[in-house]
Amino acid sequence: MITAASEREAHSGPGSDAEPRAVAIADGVHWVGALDPTLRRFDLILRTANGTTYNAYAVRGEQGVAVIDTVKAEFAAVFFARLEQVARYDEIRVIVLNHLEPDHSGALPELMRRAPQAKLVISKRAPAMLKALLKADDQEIRYDTVDTGDEIDLGGRRLKFLHTPYLHWPDTQCTYLAEQQILFSGDVFGCHHCDPRLFNDRVGDFRFAFDYYYAHIMRPFKTYVLDALRLIEPLPLKLIAPTHGPILRERPRRYVARYRELSGADAALEPVPADAPPHFTLLVFYLSAYGSTARMAEAIAAGAESVPGIRVSLYDLEGGEVEPFVDLIEPADAIALGSPTLNGDAAKPIWDLLSSLAVVNLRGKVGAAFGSYGWSGEAVPMIEDRLRGLKLRVPVAGLRLKLIPTDDELADCHAFGRALAEAVTGSGAQAGPTTRPVIEYANLT
Amino acid sequence: MAKAKLTFEDIGQTVNVPAGVRVIDISEKVGAGIVYGCREGDCGTCMMHVTAGWNNLTEPSVLEEKVLRENMASRHDRLACQAQVIGDCSVKPA
């Protein structure tokens, strides 16, 4: 519940680094985090036009205080200054880390030194990470692990835990303060947007930052987001307190709904005809300097199209931007990449595309590589290795041919496309269980 | 050298292998659906289900047991980057 007193305190804001102030977000619950307004790139991969915040919270019960998450190590001083305004270290009974990434665990070792009686509480997937994070620190840290359904009673205030792995590390969890209906959500529902007004109804427009954060941090884990939403959606929610960005107190449920929208089926137009039976999809991307790899691509696409139940699309990588191609690949069943070999390597747009796929889940998709070459032809095996590295399955050995394709070689391309489509759809003689001839180990390449 | 039949059920492919090879050494070469992350027994990505010949793989190490537990492995799941083949067995992605 947000009291009039806490409202007044909220108006006073978090203060400055020189004079940091804790901010009440509900009765007995304070924000004790840190502002990082000048940050422009987070974790190498995320840009931010407004810096970020490292949100940490203190919850006071009748029998002690819980600290929920900490801050990046270099912001420890302001975190401790804010924390000291709302609690003594000997009152801290519990430290909950919803996520162990260093921007939230950075001040943990020092907090444990200052509050040695406090019990650290982490998710059941977190111990191995905790050990790796603290291995350079001599301190022995005792911890308890929790799972969905576990709770800690602080006296009149109960912390309930939700196991929400892979949002966005294996260790992530959420903590729910039942009496006040506050969800401490970790990175879920967070964003990189620093505004000292702190609350979503006071800060500037952060919708872009919210969606951008989802797209880069949560998108690869959509199925886990949906699992987490099944735990979160039934909870009464007055406020969501994430570890980055604005505190969501005005209509918090709309951010939950937004996560469901973003994690749902592909929001793009369905391929036409919409009422057709389910299709497998194969996307063929190619680059071609003199037209040879393009002709291979066309023959492969035609071969694949000859298999029923698969929809094949052909794209010249030269003609498009990477991001829409990434959006296309996300729901596709298979991709084939064609590149000539230039100075012993595939052409750069192939690597640009492949290095942009970390934001989508590729596991189990089928991949394939092909290309024309002049004398050495390294591009095809290099692309295949990368596809395997990205957790695609590469069931059909890559196809390469020297310079200009002959009619026979184009027929090979057609057969390659057909074999690829059969591997995707599970049709054809090759794909049936136990129908393939046994291979001798010595003949594996 | 002792031989064993290693079958990848998802693609219906059997390979005659010398005893002692790891599943990882074969599965990618034949295009089976098991996928790999760290390749050193730490991340749990390559978890596979052993559908036949459970006893024909080397015993899991203490570390592999731990990773399997952390990844909520079910009975007869193993890590393909760790398990070595010592007799006929069939596997598929977990």
Side-chain angles (χ1 to χ4, degrees), chain A residues 413-434:
Chain A
C413 292
H414 195 276
F416 174 86
R418 192 172 173 87
L420 184 60
E422 285 172 351
V424 176
T425 59
S427 62
Q430 276 213 327
T434 68

Side-chain angles (χ1 to χ4, degrees), chain B:
Chain B
M1 188 182 290
K3 284 273 188 185
K5 284 188 197 311
L6 170 60
T7 300
F8 297 95
E9 280 205 350
D10 60 328
I11 56 167
Q13 180 68 64
T14 297
V15 185
N16 283 329
V17 299
V21 298
R22 290 176 196 270
V23 176
I24 186 175
D25 297 328
I26 311 297
S27 74
E28 289 186 319
K29 288 183 176 155
V30 298
I34 302 165
V35 292
Y36 296 88
C38 70
R39 297 166 185 269
E40 54 186 25
D42 197 32
C43 73
T45 303
C46 63
M47 199 148 72
M48 62 175 182
H49 190 66
V50 185
T51 53
W54 167 250
N55 292 318
N56 290 335
L57 292 165
T58 48
E59 291 277 317
S61 68
V62 174
L63 285 176
E64 186 186 340
E65 293 272 20
K66 183 167 170 290
V67 171
L68 288 167
R69 240 185 352 263
E70 282 181 356
N71 286 281
M72 290 161 270
S74 57
R75 197 169 135 79
H76 293 182
D77 283 350
R78 292 292 306 272
L79 299 182
C81 73
Q82 298 296 302
Q84 290 170 274
V85 179
I86 49 178
D88 294 356
C89 57
S90 296
V91 300
K92 64 179 186 182

Side-chain angles (χ1 to χ4, degrees), chain A residues 25-286:
Chain A
I25 66 168
D27 188 25
V29 184
H30 286 82
W31 175 87
V32 292
L35 307 178
D36 188 359
T38 59
L39 185 83
R40 291 293 173 267
R41 196 173 280 276
F42 183 88
D43 266 10
L44 306 176
I45 53 166
L46 285 176
R47 302 187 68 187
T48 168
N50 300 76
T52 193
T53 65
Y54 311 103
N55 298 334
Y57 304 92
V59 179
R60 178 173 288 281
E62 288 156 10
Q63 292 150 24
V65 170
V67 175
I68 300 179
D69 296 311
T70 78
V71 300
K72 201 172 175 180
E74 64 210 78
F75 295 88
V78 291
F79 161 70
F80 288 120
R82 290 190 171 103
L83 180 57
E84 286 165 13
Q85 293 164 19
V86 295
R88 295 192 320 270
Y89 290 114
D90 63 5
E91 294 181 300
I92 299 172
R93 257 185 61 202
V94 179
I95 299 166
V96 177
L97 280 192
N98 285 324
H99 175 29
L100 293 183
E101 204 172 357
D103 53 327
H104 309 299
S105 60
L108 177 71
E110 180 57 23
L111 180 60
M112 296 295 288
R113 275 189 279 274
R114 294 185 187 200
Q117 76 290 345
K119 175 72 89 174
L120 176 64
V121 175
I122 53 180
S123 86
K124 61 181 179 180
R125 297 290 302 274
M129 290 191 160
L130 182 74
K131 203 171 161 193
L133 274 169
L134 300 179
K135 65 188 175 196
D137 199 291
D138 282 342
Q139 202 176 351
E140 170 112 6
I141 287 196
R142 293 170 305 122
Y143 59 83
D144 279 346
T145 61
V146 287
D147 197 353
T148 302
D150 290 337
E151 63 177 65
I152 291 175
D153 192 345
L154 294 171
R157 299 253 158 96
R158 284 169 303 154
L159 299 176
K160 297 185 164 193
F161 300 97
L162 310 178
H163 185 56
T164 54
Y166 293 105
L167 302 179
H168 59 117
W169 275 19
D171 67 297
T172 49
Q173 64 174 359
C174 296
T175 303
Y176 181 63
L177 179 54
E179 283 69 20
Q180 287 164 296
Q181 302 175 357
I182 295 175
L183 183 71
F184 299 98
S185 58
D187 281 349
V188 181
F189 309 124
C191 65
H192 291 309
H193 184 90
C194 176
D195 187 322
R197 293 170 289 185
L198 283 188
F199 295 96
N200 66 325
D201 53 319
R202 298 192 187 281
V203 300
D205 193 334
F206 65 100
R207 286 175 297 177
F208 163 77
F210 188 87
D211 281 6
Y212 178 82
Y213 189 89
Y214 178 94
H216 287 80
I217 299 292
M218 300 297 165
R219 183 179 178 183
F221 305 106
K222 280 182 175 178
T223 55
Y224 292 99
V225 172
L226 293 171
D227 288 345
L229 291 177
R230 276 190 279 277
L231 295 176
I232 292 168
E233 284 169 339
L235 301 173
L237 273 183
K238 288 228 173 88
L239 187 150
I240 296 173
T243 44
H244 294 291
I247 296 163
L248 310 169
R249 67 178 178 187
E250 172 67 26
R251 294 168 62 202
R253 205 162 277 288
R254 72 174 163 171
Y255 300 95
V256 181
R258 183 68 181 145
Y259 259 48
R260 182 161 281 282
E261 270 170 41
L262 292 168
S263 307
D266 182 24
L269 284 172
E270 290 291 316
V272 285
D275 57 353
H279 273 293
F280 292 93
T281 52
L282 164 66
L283 310 177
V284 182
F285 296 97
Y286 66 92

